[in-house]
Amino acid sequence: MNTVIYTIIVALSIGFLLGLLLGLFKKIFAVKTDPKIEEIRNCLPGANCGGCGYAGCDSFAAAVAAGQAPVTGCVAGGASCAAGLARIMGVETSSMTPKVALLACHGTKECAADKCTYEGVQTCKAAELSAHGTKKCAFGCIGLGDCVSVCQFGALTMGEDGLPHVNRAKCTGCGMCVKTCPKHLFILMNADTKGSVALCSCKSDNKPQIRKDCSNGCFKCGMCARKCPEGCIDLSSGIPVIDYSKCTSCGECIKACPDKVLHLFQEL
């Protein structure tokens, strides 16, 4: 009986000693963390979308606390998040202009011809790697929805026309669709932009082939630039690029475009 009691006493003593040693080691070797990191993390939306350029909200919070990332870096959190981070860090920040994604292609399945019947892995990336896309237009949207899959905010949905559609009310401008699209068809626009945009990314100068590949493709006729009273359209890249510091949303380029490539951004 005594042996059992002694064993229990010894075991408890050893356990107590080990507990003291573990507590001592934890205190000696503890890694000090900046309390600001937790404050910053609590201000972030927690989407881990990657729009800030970091692996997730935790990494971004640590970078902000260390002064390695700007307080305006969380595009998903927007202006309110930036203001909160600026308060924690004790810095001033200018107001952030919200951004939204725009798909620079309107080659729907009705107007953009397929070049093959694709039966491989059903992702845009796989189709691009294996067949350089599924449409005759080498610049057109593949339409398998990689952008929809990576959107953490439900701002993208595939339409019956075979193209992804952006819900601007939900879009945070995180840019994940921009990074994911293998055709580089998404661009981030200031949400308050006013002026025309070209819904085509075809830079080919083979005019007859453009007509065959997509009836909605930019034909490179140059009528938009010639009709623009402000001279704000540049065609040097192969597609109309608008200088919004000059554009007045007069709509003359839209009227002149025979392919209906140009649209007012604020009306999309």
Side-chain angles (χ1 to χ4, degrees):
M1 186 66 177
N2 290 337
T3 303
V4 174
I5 295 174
Y6 292 148
T7 302
I8 293 174
I9 294 173
V10 170
L12 290 174
S13 300
I14 293 173
F16 179 72
L17 180 61
L18 289 175
L20 287 176
L21 291 174
L22 287 173
L24 182 63
F25 289 156
K26 181 179 179 180
K27 187 174 182 179
I28 294 174
F29 297 105
V31 178
K32 294 182 179 180
T33 58
D34 190 337
K36 288 182 179 179
I37 294 178
E38 186 175 354
E39 287 187 73
I40 294 169
R41 182 65 182 81
N42 291 334
C43 279
L44 301 177
N48 293 312
C49 62
C52 59
Y54 289 84
C57 293
D58 289 341
S59 298
F60 176 67
V64 172
Q68 299 171 351
V71 295
T72 56
C74 180
V75 291
S80 61
C81 177
L85 299 189
R87 175 184 54 78
I88 294 169
M89 295 300 295
V91 299
E92 294 183 0
T93 178
S94 57
S95 59
M96 293 175 62
T97 301
K99 293 185 179 294
V100 293
L102 172 74
L103 179 72
C105 176
H106 65 161
T108 65
K109 61 184 180 181
E110 287 78 18
C111 66
D114 290 331
K115 68 177 181 181
C116 63
T117 300
Y118 178 70
E119 296 181 350
V121 178
Q122 295 297 298
T123 66
C124 299
K125 184 176 181 180
E128 176 66 11
L129 289 172
S130 61
H132 299 293
T134 59
K135 295 177 179 176
K136 288 184 178 179
C137 175
F139 303 88
C141 175
I142 297 172
L144 294 178
D146 288 14
C147 52
V148 176
S149 299
V150 299
C151 181
Q152 300 292 315
F153 305 96
L156 281 166
T157 54
M158 290 303 301
E160 294 183 359
D161 57 3
L163 296 177
H165 292 260
V166 181
N167 182 332
R168 292 191 187 176
K170 295 182 178 180
C171 183
T172 63
C174 72
M176 286 304 294
C177 55
V178 178
K179 298 175 183 178
T180 300
C181 179
K183 293 293 188 181
H184 309 293
L185 294 177
F186 282 97
I187 55 177
L188 290 181
M189 303 280 292
N190 288 338
D192 60 358
T193 296
K194 289 181 172 58
S196 57
V197 289
L199 299 186
C200 181
S201 296
C202 178
K203 297 181 180 180
S204 171
D205 57 1
N206 188 341
K207 294 183 179 181
Q209 192 62 44
I210 292 173
R211 290 290 194 209
K212 294 178 182 178
D213 293 345
C214 180
S215 58
N216 278 349
C218 178
F219 191 59
K220 324 302 179 194
C221 65
M223 288 296 294
C224 55
R226 289 195 290 272
K227 292 293 184 178
C228 178
E230 307 299 329
C232 65
I233 299 180
D234 179 20
L235 296 173
S236 61
S237 67
I239 54 175
V241 176
I242 290 80
D243 182 347
Y244 293 109
S245 67
K246 298 179 180 179
C247 183
T248 62
S249 298
C250 68
E252 291 301 315
C253 59
I254 296 172
K255 297 175 186 176
C257 179
D259 302 306
K260 307 304 178 186
V261 168
L262 291 161
H263 300 261
L264 288 178
F265 179 73
Q266 61 268 33
E267 295 181 358
L268 290 173

